[in-house]
Amino acid sequence: MKTKTILIPTDFSVKSLNIVKSALSINDDCELEILLVHGIYLPDSMTDLLLFSKKKLLQDLETAEFRASCQMIASKYESRLLELSLDIFSGYNQSAFENYLEANQIDEIYAPTDHAFKPRHKNSFDMMPFIHRSTTNLVKVKRMEVGENFRQERNELSGLFFSELSSL
């Protein structure tokens, strides 16, 4: 089975994870490595840079609901989803973005058609201008509201875990 690495911009909302599900359904003949990326300018003071931790920043940006939704998707698609990881992009120009894509061996970028940037952090920035100018294949996906399907999947997953516990 063919393997693809896909970059998806994220604002750490559960709604943004619908693009992950779209990428998985579009690429049903591939194993995927998906990199969820958020644009953040690094601090510019020496002290802040010395104390900077990407791991801590990512933990602060994630909500419990977002983390649980990522785990649910990873569990549901474990046979085809090789990796679902989070990262930040902190470059200032198109060249830095292209280098980031090359370093992470990105094959495609999946982005929403109904993009409305919502900063998640005081230093967040919109990555879409970089994405639109990139030479990497861009797949535009219509983002849907989190609705009944998502709630049903979450309830099925919860039911699976709780029924397993009750039989012990």
Side-chain angles (χ1 to χ4, degrees):
M1 193 178 274
K2 184 178 162 188
T3 301
K4 272 189 192 178
T5 304
I6 296 174
L7 180 139
I8 299 175
T10 187
D11 59 2
F12 294 94
S13 68
V14 173
K15 182 180 174 184
S16 70
L17 295 176
N18 279 319
I19 297 174
V20 173
K21 292 174 67 177
S22 295
L24 284 158
S25 66
I26 290 168
N27 294 287
D28 61 355
D29 61 336
C30 296
E31 293 180 321
L32 299 180
E33 293 178 3
I34 297 180
L35 184 59
L36 300 170
V37 182
H38 187 75
I40 297 239
Y41 292 121
L42 291 179
D44 52 2
S45 81
M46 189 60 98
T47 306
D48 289 343
L49 276 173
L50 287 171
L51 300 173
F52 177 76
S53 164
K54 182 166 73 168
K55 183 178 178 179
K56 171 129 176 48
L57 176 63
L58 287 170
Q59 287 173 344
D60 292 345
L61 291 170
E62 281 184 282
T63 63
E65 187 177 25
F66 181 82
R67 193 174 300 117
S69 299
C70 286
Q71 290 170 347
M72 182 181 72
I73 290 170
S75 294
K76 182 173 181 176
Y77 297 99
E78 69 181 327
S79 64
R80 292 189 21 248
L81 185 57
L82 300 176
E83 186 174 3
L84 180 61
S85 56
L86 297 170
D87 200 8
I88 57 170
F89 170 69
S90 57
Y92 286 94
N93 57 36
Q94 191 65 36
S95 180
F97 187 69
E98 295 299 329
N99 287 336
Y100 180 86
L101 295 175
E102 186 179 332
N104 286 285
Q105 300 176 338
I106 302 298
D107 298 308
E108 293 179 336
I109 301 171
Y110 279 62
T113 55
D114 57 342
H115 174 70
F117 177 67
K118 293 178 188 149
R120 183 80 175 103
H121 184 273
K122 66 180 181 171
N123 293 337
S124 292
F125 66 87
D126 189 1
M127 291 179 25
M128 290 308 290
F130 294 127
I131 289 171
H132 286 297
R133 289 190 304 264
S134 176
T135 57
T136 302
N137 184 39
L138 173 60
V139 178
K140 295 286 236 161
V141 178
K142 183 170 171 76
R143 215 166 27 175
M144 301 173 298
E145 290 295 323
V146 175
E148 198 55 41
N149 255 358
F150 178 78
R151 286 187 199 94
Q152 182 180 356
E153 286 177 8
R154 187 169 61 189
N155 290 340
E156 287 172 5
L157 190 63
S158 297
L160 181 69
F161 287 126
F162 287 122
S163 67
E164 192 66 34
L165 287 173
S166 63
S167 66
L168 294 176

